[in-house]
Amino acid sequence: EAPDASRAALFDEYRRRSVTVGRLVGARINGKRCLGRATAIDNAGRLVLTMRKGQTATVSSETQLL
């Protein structure tokens, strides 16, 4: 299996097993505490948050389930 295919398969499995997507989470973005709903995991493994007003942000640091 090609490395890109293996990586894609790994992320697909990671997304499938995630207990975070769909949940409300807190994260620190640019030093500011933010709350948002985890809506996806991107192809780099970062969590995608959607904030209350619809803006999105990706985080790859520590988050907290709320």
Side-chain angles (χ1 to χ4, degrees), residues 1-60:
E1 193 171 332
D4 287 342
S6 293
R7 181 180 170 100
L10 174 68
F11 278 118
D12 286 344
E13 184 67 14
Y14 181 57
R15 288 178 187 105
R16 190 178 71 73
R17 292 177 180 239
S18 174
V19 297
T20 306
V21 173
R23 306 259 320 257
L24 188 62
V25 298
R28 193 164 295 281
I29 301 171
N30 297 326
K32 182 179 176 187
R33 179 121 168 102
C34 298
L35 299 176
R37 184 146 322 264
T39 52
I41 298 169
D42 73 8
N43 289 333
R46 299 173 300 193
L47 194 61
V48 179
L49 300 183
T50 301
M51 309 307 170
R52 180 180 267 172
K53 294 182 180 178
Q55 68 272 40
T56 61
T58 55
V59 294
S60 59

